[in-house]
Structure formats: C-alpha cells, structure tokens
Amino acid sequence: MNTGMVERAKKVLAEKGIRQVLCAFTDVRGYLLTFSIPAREFIEGSAFEDGIGFDGSSVRGFKSIEQSDMVWKPDPSTLRVIPWMDGIHASAIMFGDIYEAGGKELADCDPRGFVAKMLERELGKEGKSAIFGPEIEFFVFDGIDIRNLTWDLFVTPNGGEGDSWGAPRVIPNSRELEELPIIRPKEGYFRAPPEDRTLEYRNELVYYLEKMGVIVEYHHHEVATAGQVELDFKPFGLVGVGDAFYIYKFVAKNVARMHGLLATFMPKPLYLDNASGMHVHQSLWEGEPFKGKNLFSDPDDEFGLSQLARYYIGGLLEHAPALTALNAPTVNSYKRLVPGFEAPIYIAWSPRNRSALVRVPAYFKKPSAIRVEYRGADPSQNPYLGITAQLAAGLDGIRRKIDPGDPVMKDIYKLTEREKREFGIGELPTSLKEALEALASDEVIQRILGSHIYDAFMELKTDEWNQYSLYVTPWEFMKYFDI
C-alpha cells in the first residue's frame, strides 16, 4: 500500500472531522455494499494496514459458509468526504478490495480487485492505458406502488382497451400531471423548464458529484417522459470508472431522497416509453491518457480511426452476445433491447449512426477525441465486470486482428431481413437466458472473469431467469383470466 496515500487519507479524515467511514465494495451482481467503521480506526488504529474482517457467505456470489471469513482492505486513493453529512454524522466513503482470510491473497470473488484491477495492471505492463466515459441514464420518480394496476396516459397507447392494462403504477407523474404543460412519452429530450422539473435536482447532484471528484461535463432531461435524466462525467481508467459509477448512483439516490424522490437505475420502468441505457465511450492510449498517443486515432483515415481501433471494434462485435449478459444483466434489460426505443439490437458498427451497436462519434476530428462507443450496456450492471469485459473483447480483437467489416451507413432499423443478411448483421440476445447461453460459449470473456465469478454469475442469473419464468404476472391475469 502506498504510504504517502495513506498519510494523506488520514490527514483528510482528521482535518475534516470525519467520524465514520463507509467501507464500500460490490457483490457479483453489482449491488453497492457498505459497512461503517469509526474514522479513528483508520487515523489511530490499523484499519489501513490490516483491513476489516467480514462474513463473505452473506454476500451474493462470494463464499460458502465454511469459507466465510474474508477481509476488506481499503484503497486510500478512493477516499471521498460525503459533503451533505456533517457534525455528528460527518462521514466519508472509501472503496476497497477483498482478500481471503489472513489478508494476504486477493479473493477471486472480488469484481473490483480480481477482475478490473487485474486487467488494468496487465495493460499497464504493456505501457498502455484505457479510459472510459459512460453516459448513465436513470429515472427520478415521486414513488411507486407495484401493487396498483392502473390506466394511465403514460402507459396506455390505445384509449384504455384491455391490452393496455397491467402496468404497475409508477408515479413519476403526480407532480407533473398536477401542473400543465406535461412532457409526453418520448418527447423529453433536452426539454427546458418548466416542463423539465428535474433541473434543480440535477444542479444539486452535479454540485455534490464534483465535491466528490466526479466532474460532470453536461446534463439534461432525457427522451422519456417525467424525470428521465442523464449526467455525463469526464472519463476515468478501468477501476476508476467503476468507482465513479458507484459514486454517481450513491449521490443520485441520496440527493433524490433529500428531495422526497426516488432515483432508479432499473433499465425499463415505464411501459412504451424509452428506457435507461449506459453508452460507454472508450479509447486506448500509449502511456497516460491525453498525455501520450491516442491509439485509436489516424488523421489520414476517412473516419479518423486507426487500424488498431478497427480491430478493437471487431472484438466488441465478435463478443457482443456474451458481453450482453454482463452489460444488460437483468430480465428487465431485455425490455429495453427492442426495436422502436433507440436501443441497439443489431451487431454492427458505424460512424455517427445510433442504430448500430458500436458507434464512432463524429462530433470532433481532433486526435484526442477519437473513440468508440459501445451502446449495448445499461446501468443495472456491475461495471467492474461489464466494462472490463468490453475492454477484454476489444483487446482480443486487436490480438486476433478481427476485421469488423465495412461500417453500416444506413438506419439498420429500416433494413429488410434480406439486406441485414447481405450486410452480415446479427442480433443481440433477446432475453437474459439467451445472453447467458452466449456467455457460456465465450471462453475469452469467461477467462477474464475467472472461474469463481463466472460460475457465481451464471448461477445467480440463471436462478433469476427461472424465478421470472415461473412467476405469474399481473399482465397474465389481465390477459388470460377470462379465457
């Protein structure tokens, strides 16, 4: 552990009067988990050196009960003061890695330390780095009553006939319906106040995120109705982007609560409206990002792309079915990946074209801005797994020199089946079950996860699919009860 970094962290804890430290890590599914330790254990005690013991058998995907003793060890570089907590509640949050009992051996169940950090180190040994900038979308609602089925303007396309019933009443609309005008479904993109009633919430969210080291580039109301928002932050390295992802969610949920709202990163909470995705912009660099050379850039190329970048794209396309299991890892994710809602379902690449799975943004041509955008991800994922798998897929494309083929310059949604076959365009899995089957046949992605996390992820997600398949939904009662 970096002694200088530890001393700086101790100084921050002491000078800021921090009383409690939230010790953060994630389970295999991607849920942020924390436990609290008095700051004195870090300032005066041995918590930085020894870590903290905990029960790994109570964490999804970690250890069985006979192997349950585990150790959380802090990463002092991730210490962040929680700016809205002060006085007797003054707190900080810090990420850590998970070790086996004894604190010497890194645990193979830890998504951050064993998967993301390992690949980032391997890339660093080659003198390279990768950076990632995710566009994380989410909804802010007044509340939700999952027991209440209702006819609702925002879920009913055909005047209240039987087919339209059966959606649980999400309540994004109570404030918005009390005050006209309202944002109609699919018409929320870049809407201004007063229709956009999330501006003050977003401004406060940006303030706290930047206090915690996550610098926002811009934010806006998204396409869906009533409270779908997006904030984009400046890029991080592989481990750093996972940490920033969780800080983003942590702040978004807590600030929403302070406003009497609920923030949800569920991909598709609203029937027949746009869902929340997480497009991941990424690039490879020789040396440090923005200081060395952008390996994706070639000023002489038509699209500004190097051959290495094309191979990287080839890897993303080659492994796209398996990547979907990790980047769209819930049953609900596949209600986003359908035609008609701007979500990618076709395995193809293109400059500018948002109907392709991999897009090359063409806003600017300067070498430092050249990047690729993977559009098949959503914010229900564990980014230490999902984004790491994207990088592994791209690197495999470079290693094997996988040609991505010609870019598709047409709106893929409007191509006929024959045209899609001629272009060689495949489709992403249409369900979590299909995505898991693709992951089960992809040795490259399995290898980067390691056998423990791969097995645990498959077991957890197969069980999730089986639960969903067996559950009798309210929609089925509405549809079939009078059969």
Side-chain angles (χ1 to χ4, degrees):
M1 186 178 295
N2 187 312
T3 304
M5 196 68 71
V6 170
E7 291 306 313
R8 280 194 288 274
K10 288 182 178 181
K11 184 178 180 181
V12 169
L13 292 172
E15 290 183 348
K16 298 293 185 180
I18 301 301
R19 293 176 177 269
Q20 305 291 333
V21 177
L22 279 175
C23 304
F25 65 105
T26 76
D27 66 9
V28 169
R29 299 170 301 170
Y31 282 79
L32 177 65
L33 304 178
T34 65
F35 58 92
S36 295
I37 298 295
R40 67 171 179 272
E41 296 299 320
F42 291 94
I43 300 171
E44 303 168 5
S46 60
F48 272 119
E49 291 74 22
D50 298 337
I52 307 294
F54 71 98
D55 173 13
S57 68
S58 295
V59 178
R60 295 291 186 275
F62 271 27
K63 296 291 182 177
S64 55
I65 196 166
E66 73 276 9
Q67 300 175 313
S68 57
D69 286 354
M70 306 198 77
V71 177
W72 175 91
K73 284 196 170 185
D75 179 346
S77 69
T78 68
L79 180 71
R80 292 170 166 93
V81 174
I82 301 175
W84 61 86
M85 302 181 76
D86 54 22
I88 63 171
H89 302 294
S91 299
I93 187 170
M94 182 163 43
F95 292 90
D97 298 323
I98 309 303
Y99 286 75
E100 299 288 357
K104 302 296 183 185
E105 181 185 355
L106 194 64
D108 61 359
C109 59
D110 178 19
R112 183 182 191 270
F114 189 80
V115 179
K117 188 170 284 189
M118 287 281 210
L119 185 55
E120 190 167 54
R121 283 175 177 167
E122 288 179 17
L123 195 60
K125 290 176 183 177
E126 299 176 7
K128 298 183 178 69
S129 60
I131 56 169
F132 303 87
E135 300 176 358
I136 306 173
E137 300 168 349
F138 66 100
F139 282 89
V140 184
F141 293 152
D142 287 338
I144 182 171
D145 183 354
I146 61 175
R147 303 163 300 176
N148 183 19
L149 299 176
T150 182
W151 181 88
D152 190 306
L153 165 68
F154 288 86
V155 300
T156 305
N158 58 3
E161 296 177 11
D163 286 350
S164 304
W165 289 75
R169 178 168 178 75
V170 185
I171 315 174
N173 315 315
S174 59
R175 297 179 188 182
E176 303 224 354
L177 291 179
E178 288 168 5
E179 302 179 48
L180 296 177
I182 61 175
I183 297 176
R184 291 174 291 275
K186 289 189 172 187
E187 294 187 17
Y189 189 65
F190 277 18
R191 291 300 290 269
E195 292 86 358
D196 171 18
R197 293 182 174 86
T198 68
L199 181 60
E200 291 181 5
Y201 165 76
R202 298 198 323 265
N203 288 343
E204 190 169 340
L205 179 52
V206 170
Y207 173 80
Y208 286 129
L209 283 172
E210 297 204 342
K211 285 277 189 180
M212 298 181 76
V214 179
I215 307 303
V216 175
E217 293 186 316
Y218 72 99
H219 56 98
H220 56 88
H221 198 287
E222 253 299 341
V223 172
T225 184
Q228 188 187 30
V229 301
E230 177 185 316
L231 293 86
D232 300 342
F233 53 75
K234 289 186 179 294
F236 289 86
L238 184 56
V239 175
V241 76
D243 297 347
F245 171 94
Y246 284 109
I247 292 297
Y248 181 108
K249 292 180 76 171
F250 177 76
V251 178
K253 290 181 177 183
N254 278 278
V255 173
R257 185 179 178 117
M258 286 188 272
H259 284 265
L261 302 168
L262 291 173
T264 178
F265 292 80
M266 176 182 180
K268 182 83 169 183
L270 294 183
Y271 176 54
L272 294 181
D273 207 340
N274 277 33
S276 293
M278 190 179 89
H279 308 150
V280 182
H281 297 255
Q282 51 205 278
S283 56
L284 281 179
W285 293 73
E286 191 75 52
E288 292 185 48
F290 304 112
K291 294 181 180 179
K293 177 185 178 184
N294 183 354
L295 296 175
F296 281 4
S297 173
D298 180 355
D300 296 326
D301 180 75
E302 179 184 3
F303 307 120
L305 284 178
S306 67
Q307 184 61 58
L308 182 140
R310 290 173 185 264
Y311 290 148
Y312 188 98
I313 291 170
L316 288 174
L317 300 182
E318 175 87 3
H319 296 284
L323 288 178
T324 308
L326 296 164
N327 285 279
T330 66
V331 166
N332 183 253
S333 298
Y334 297 85
K335 298 181 180 181
R336 168 183 172 261
L337 297 176
V338 295
F341 297 92
E342 299 185 33
I345 59 174
Y346 298 113
I347 302 174
W349 79 280
S350 180
R352 302 182 67 180
N353 187 349
R354 282 176 165 80
S355 67
L357 176 64
V358 177
R359 190 176 77 95
V360 178
Y363 303 116
F364 307 105
K365 290 293 187 180
K366 60 183 181 181
S368 62
I370 300 300
R371 61 194 186 274
V372 301
E373 175 192 4
Y374 185 79
R375 297 174 60 82
D378 72 46
S380 67
Q381 69 170 278
N382 184 327
Y384 300 126
L385 303 182
I387 297 179
T388 301
Q390 290 178 40
L391 177 58
L395 294 176
D396 185 59
I398 293 171
R399 181 179 61 83
R400 294 168 49 204
K401 293 182 168 57
I402 299 174
D403 184 357
D406 294 329
V408 179
M409 309 302 286
K410 297 181 178 181
D411 183 348
I412 304 175
Y413 298 123
K414 294 181 179 179
L415 296 181
T416 66
E417 292 302 315
R418 180 178 178 179
E419 288 173 319
K420 282 183 277 189
R421 285 195 300 270
E422 290 173 352
F423 279 114
I425 298 172
E427 293 190 18
L428 292 179
T430 59
S431 69
L432 179 59
K433 182 176 186 294
E434 287 184 18
L436 293 174
E437 290 170 351
L439 179 57
S441 62
D442 194 313
E443 294 182 359
V444 170
I445 305 303
Q446 290 178 35
R447 193 180 311 119
I448 204 68
L449 299 178
S451 60
H452 180 97
I453 287 181
Y454 167 73
D455 289 342
F457 182 86
M458 291 293 288
E459 181 179 353
L460 288 165
K461 291 299 172 177
T462 299
D463 183 58
E464 191 173 311
W465 173 258
N466 289 339
Q467 289 179 38
Y468 170 72
S469 299
L470 290 170
Y471 182 69
V472 181
T473 65
W475 181 88
E476 289 169 271
F477 276 94
M478 288 293 184
K479 191 74 173 176
Y480 305 123
F481 192 76
D482 61 349
I483 200 167

